[in-house]
Amino acid sequence: MTSARHLTEIAGNGVPDTYQHDLVARIRPRRRRRHVRRPADLVTVVGPTLSVANVIMQLSNPKVGHGVHESRVPSGNAIKRPIKRARTTGTYLAVALMGSDADRAYVHEHVGRVHDRVYSTETSPVRYSANDSRLQLWVAVCLLKYFIDQYELLYGPLTDAEKQTVLTEAHPLGTALNVPREKWPRTYAELLVYWNSQLAELRIDEPVREELRSLADLSFLEFRAGVVGTIAHKTLGGFLTYAVNAGLPPEFRKMMGWSFSAADARRYEAVLAGFRLVDPLMAPMLRGIFRLNILDLRLRRKLGIPVF
């Protein structure tokens, strides 16, 4: 994995590609693969297993992590309101990737109102505001990685042209929030410079880490769903934690206090082989769910039902 990153560093004018998942170097490029012409083409069946891993990456920025941990908007908390949080996050991602300008303007306005209520207090360990465009850029770049990872782990690295297309067209992940268009990386090389510049600033403090572990192993459901939640935690929690760990870059595994052995990597390759078989059938269904998210948003707007 180190040698693969070194080769990418040489090809990338001295910038190490820590953005690409370190296991992608082990994936043999597939002859038959879906060509990527837009960000939505990156959606695969692996995506749901990478979602919590991506949340960990986002919250590794201490200002984002403590902002979520201390948030005074419980309706947007994944632990307190997991179903609503899944719906609203799905809506935001769908609008960013597949929505109209009107959809994105609506998200920008209404998510901004929610974020207005999320800011640090005198007792907060760090200063933050959820509408800080610098924090939103970090979250948006993490989300782009979420889509790129799920595709590359199945089908191998994107071509340089595909990376540029995806990066250019994925800017609504940031601009649908509060990120000025000119702040979005223009090239993949710029993206790497930004990503690498942020890694040294990241950390996960213990209160945030505890919440993230409870998401990874579903133990939070014991408090939300009683016996059913306990059963889910006991039966699925171990595998889900493994999948979350597999989806993390090494730097983030270390922050979580997790390890990932060569045997774990081989096991994950076998899991990916299974996903690869069912992806042609399942990926269109997942993209269809995104379309339903957009229809749901538009229907709620017409009926005056809150979306966020």
Side-chain angles (χ1 to χ4, degrees):
M1 289 184 279
T2 302
S3 59
R5 282 187 170 179
H6 179 64
L7 291 173
T8 306
E9 179 178 344
I10 295 173
N13 298 319
V15 181
D17 192 352
T18 53
Y19 192 72
Q20 184 179 78
H21 195 292
D22 58 305
L23 295 181
V24 171
R26 303 165 66 104
I27 306 300
R28 182 168 53 86
R30 304 291 144 174
R31 292 181 180 179
R32 291 187 177 183
R33 69 180 185 90
R34 183 170 60 254
H35 291 292
V36 177
R37 298 180 176 87
R38 56 178 184 159
D41 292 333
L42 297 170
V43 174
T44 75
V45 70
V46 179
T49 71
L50 297 179
S51 57
V52 175
N54 200 261
V55 170
I56 290 173
M57 292 180 222
Q58 295 170 38
L59 271 60
S60 66
N61 181 309
K63 295 184 178 182
V64 178
H66 284 284
V68 171
H69 176 65
E70 298 180 345
S71 174
R72 295 178 293 280
V73 186
S75 61
N77 188 294
I79 291 177
K80 296 177 181 177
R81 298 285 298 277
I83 295 176
K84 180 178 180 180
R85 180 65 184 188
R87 176 182 63 78
T88 56
T89 299
T91 297
Y92 157 65
L93 293 176
V95 166
L97 266 60
M98 304 167 67
S100 66
D101 288 343
D103 296 328
R104 291 167 184 165
Y106 179 87
V107 168
H108 181 276
E109 177 185 356
H110 288 266
V111 172
R113 291 179 184 175
V114 174
H115 285 172
D116 282 340
R117 300 160 58 192
V118 181
Y119 51 86
S120 57
T121 67
E122 293 181 355
T123 60
S124 301
V126 293
R127 304 293 96 187
Y128 62 82
S129 165
N131 272 327
D132 186 334
S133 63
R134 295 168 297 182
L135 303 185
Q136 292 183 349
L137 176 60
W138 169 252
V139 169
V141 166
C142 287
L143 288 169
L144 175 59
K145 180 172 170 56
Y146 164 72
F147 289 106
I148 290 177
D149 281 355
Q150 61 181 279
Y151 183 91
E152 290 192 328
L153 283 169
L154 283 194
Y155 298 110
L158 295 170
T159 66
D160 290 343
E162 288 172 332
K163 287 178 182 176
Q164 187 58 49
T165 296
V166 166
L167 177 61
T168 300
E169 296 193 11
H171 72 85
L173 287 170
T175 56
L177 297 177
N178 208 33
V179 179
R181 180 68 176 87
E182 61 270 19
K183 296 295 185 182
W184 188 253
R186 291 173 296 175
T187 66
Y188 193 76
E190 284 189 14
L191 176 66
L192 294 185
V193 170
Y194 169 77
W195 182 261
N196 290 324
S197 73
Q198 298 300 299
L199 290 179
E201 306 298 323
L202 304 179
R203 72 172 192 266
I204 301 177
D205 294 333
E206 189 55 34
V208 178
R209 188 182 296 112
E210 287 182 9
E211 287 197 4
L212 292 172
R213 285 172 177 162
S214 74
L215 278 175
D217 67 8
L218 300 181
S219 58
F220 76 95
L221 289 177
E222 294 186 351
F223 303 99
R224 304 303 304 169
V227 174
V228 174
T230 299
I231 292 173
H233 165 55
K234 297 297 185 183
T235 58
L236 300 175
F239 174 76
L240 289 178
T241 300
Y242 166 79
V244 171
N245 190 14
L248 287 173
E251 300 86 351
F252 297 84
R253 290 179 190 139
K254 184 177 180 179
M255 283 185 267
M256 287 296 295
W258 292 339
S259 61
F260 198 73
S261 67
D264 290 327
R266 289 192 296 270
R267 178 186 173 195
Y268 192 53
E269 288 183 67
V271 171
L272 291 174
F275 280 133
R276 205 169 283 124
L277 292 175
V278 300
D279 185 65
L281 175 64
M282 298 298 296
M285 297 173 61
L286 293 171
R287 290 192 292 275
I289 292 174
F290 271 9
R291 295 186 183 94
L292 289 176
N293 283 129
I294 293 174
L295 292 176
D296 175 70
L297 176 143
R298 293 171 180 172
L299 180 60
R300 285 171 178 269
R301 289 186 63 186
K302 287 183 178 180
L303 297 177
I305 301 173
V307 177
F308 298 100

